[in-house]
């Protein structure tokens, strides 16, 4: 099957992180979970990442700000970020973040 894409899931809810990991691994992806920006930055420095899936609302951090920070970082700005949220204005807010 060739190389499997590497996905970094950033979500402070451990149950959601584990559920996404299980579903994505079932579909053949390699998945790493980070609970916050600091952990995500460590993973991004040490592991190949093809895409990030991030919660818009992280405990103690605004996922939008985290997304904006990643998109302004030359080393990781090329990595696509898929934001997820139940927030009613999530689409516009996330698109504005890059």
């Amino acid at each position: 099957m060739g190389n499997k894409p590497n996905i970094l899931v950033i979500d402070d809810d451990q149950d959601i992180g584990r559920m996404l990991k299980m579903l994505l691994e079932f579909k053949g992806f390699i998945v790493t979970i980070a609970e916050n920006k600091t952990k995500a930055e460590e993973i991004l420095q040490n592991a190949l990442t093809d895409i990030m899936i991030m919660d818009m609302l992280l405990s103690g951090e605004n996922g939008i700000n985290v997304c904006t920070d990643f998109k302004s970082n030359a080393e990781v700005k090329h990595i696509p970020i898929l934001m997820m949220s139940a927030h009613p204005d999530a689409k516009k807010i996330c698109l504005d973040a890059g």
Side-chain angles (χ1 to χ4, degrees):
M1 176 178 156
N3 292 341
K4 295 180 180 183
N6 292 284
I7 299 176
L8 172 58
V9 173
I10 307 168
D11 198 311
D12 58 329
D13 185 316
Q14 291 181 356
D15 291 334
I16 291 174
R18 284 193 299 262
M19 177 197 64
L20 286 170
K21 181 176 174 69
M22 183 175 54
L23 290 170
L24 292 167
E25 286 179 342
F26 180 75
K27 291 293 188 177
F29 297 100
I30 298 168
V31 181
T32 307
I33 301 172
E35 302 81 28
N36 55 49
K37 180 183 177 188
T38 302
K39 182 66 176 171
E41 289 171 330
E42 290 173 18
I43 292 166
L44 289 166
Q45 288 179 0
N46 298 308
L48 175 67
T49 300
D50 297 304
I51 188 168
M52 290 182 256
I53 300 176
M54 181 186 324
D55 191 359
M56 190 176 94
L57 302 172
L58 298 169
S59 294
E61 302 176 89
N62 182 328
I64 298 302
N65 294 339
V66 174
C67 177
T68 302
D69 288 349
F70 285 148
K71 287 302 177 182
S72 65
N73 179 333
E75 293 179 16
V76 298
K77 70 179 183 179
H78 67 281
I79 301 172
I81 299 174
L82 175 66
M83 299 286 289
M84 60 181 180
S85 179
H87 191 283
D89 296 324
K91 181 177 180 179
K92 180 181 180 344
I93 293 168
C94 291
L95 289 172
D96 289 346

